[in-house]
Amino acid sequence: MKRRANLIALPILLVVSLVWAYPFLWTLSAAFKTQAGMFTGGASLVPDLWSFENFERAWVNAGFSQFFANTVLYSATSTVIELVKSALCGYVLARYDFPGRTFLHRMIVATLFIPVASIIIPQFVLVEQLGLLNTRAGVILAMSGSAGALYVLLFVGFFASVPDDLFDAAKLDGAGFLRTFQLILPLAKPVIAVVVIFQFVSNWNEFNIPLVFTLGQPELQNLAVGMLSFKGEHAVDWTGFAAGMTISFAPMLIVFVFFQSYFVRGLAGATKG
């Protein structure tokens, strides 16, 4: 009976997987097609002419080399900042009892229901007053200052589930607040993987902040905003756009593959408590 069910489920899952992956595969294929071949090829995934001309046009002519470097800097730096601050916040909420702790925890949960786009105006005003508008530092500050409530809650769940014996042993050895945090944090690899994947992908695809905060310095924009380079006044370079999308896909896939062994465990284990 179980074998029969598998024989039924397998073809269904293959069809669903193909439908899910088809847009990505078509974009990858279009990156190697000519402009005419993309429109005449229809739904075909086989390029009419294998050529890297689209990638060269995207990388050099559209300035993707600079956009790529900016995106790597923005995504990596803001992910590290978000990881550190959410881990510290989760550690304090899970292991320390202080006045207003419950209220603070509830306020953090409440921010989950606030659209991130709604805080871009106060972020803009703050960055402008700090003199960081149209700078890479301003973009990083804004991207790492968005709501990270989900990450905090994941770390709260993890640190709350760590046996008290580990913290007691650290105290007996004379470890203070930061030292104890440094000793326990490596145990949170699954949670760290979840935060890195979610935040890195979110930062990599961010459009609003790099656009609004670099209007005066277009060379500071990221890949998501750089996609506008393929839109002309009367036409769109669709094959160049597909090549740009393919360039943008690669780092996200690498990050996910690198951390995937911890991903499911992080989501399951961090929410137990």
Side-chain angles (χ1 to χ4, degrees):
M1 185 66 182
K2 185 176 179 181
R3 185 176 181 181
R4 185 181 302 174
N6 289 336
L7 291 175
I8 297 174
L10 184 59
I12 296 176
L13 291 175
L14 288 175
V15 172
V16 172
S17 300
L18 180 60
V19 172
W20 189 271
Y22 178 80
F24 167 75
L25 296 176
W26 189 89
T27 301
L28 183 62
S29 172
F32 295 94
K33 294 180 178 179
T34 61
Q35 195 81 357
M38 191 187 76
F39 289 103
T40 59
S44 173
L45 296 179
V46 181
D48 55 336
L49 177 66
W50 290 89
S51 173
F52 288 91
E53 181 183 346
N54 296 325
F55 290 93
E56 182 180 355
R57 193 165 65 254
W59 190 258
V60 179
N61 297 348
F64 263 48
S65 57
Q66 183 63 53
F67 295 148
F68 187 89
N70 292 337
T71 307
V72 171
L73 176 64
Y74 297 154
S75 302
T77 307
S78 55
T79 296
V80 171
I81 294 174
E82 187 65 49
L83 175 64
V84 172
K85 75 174 188 178
S86 59
L88 281 170
C89 186
Y91 174 66
V92 171
L93 288 174
R95 306 307 306 188
Y96 289 86
D97 191 11
F98 54 90
R101 174 173 172 266
T102 302
F103 175 76
L104 179 60
H105 188 274
R106 290 175 179 174
M107 288 295 293
I108 292 175
V109 173
T111 62
L112 287 171
F113 303 97
I114 300 176
V116 176
S118 66
I119 65 173
I120 194 169
I121 294 178
Q123 281 184 320
F124 183 88
V125 174
L126 177 61
V127 170
E128 184 181 31
Q129 291 179 348
L130 291 173
L132 297 177
L133 200 60
N134 293 314
T135 66
R136 290 185 175 88
V139 175
I140 293 172
L141 180 63
M143 291 177 68
S144 60
S146 59
L150 175 62
Y151 310 143
V152 174
L153 295 179
L154 289 175
F155 276 110
V156 168
F158 169 78
F159 286 119
S161 66
V162 175
D164 294 337
D165 294 343
L166 292 178
F167 293 94
D168 294 337
K171 289 180 180 179
L172 288 175
D173 289 338
F177 172 83
L178 287 178
R179 181 56 182 162
T180 303
F181 174 75
Q182 292 173 353
L183 292 172
I184 302 298
L185 185 61
L187 301 177
K189 288 181 180 178
V191 183
I192 293 174
V194 172
V195 173
V196 168
I197 290 174
F198 280 2
Q199 187 66 20
F200 186 86
V201 171
S202 176
N203 291 338
W204 192 270
N205 294 322
E206 180 61 43
F207 179 83
N208 292 329
I209 290 176
L211 174 65
V212 174
F213 287 72
T214 61
L215 287 175
Q217 296 287 340
E219 66 274 11
L220 301 181
Q221 294 171 348
N222 66 347
L223 285 172
V225 181
M227 294 292 178
L228 296 174
S229 302
F230 297 105
K231 185 179 183 302
E233 186 177 353
H234 302 291
V236 178
D237 182 0
W238 290 111
T239 54
F241 184 85
M245 289 293 293
T246 303
I247 294 173
S248 183
F249 285 153
M252 291 187 292
L253 292 176
I254 293 173
V255 170
F256 181 78
V257 169
F258 185 77
F259 287 99
Q260 66 174 337
S261 60
Y262 299 105
F263 185 65
V264 176
R265 281 196 296 143
L267 284 177
T271 55
K272 280 183 181 178

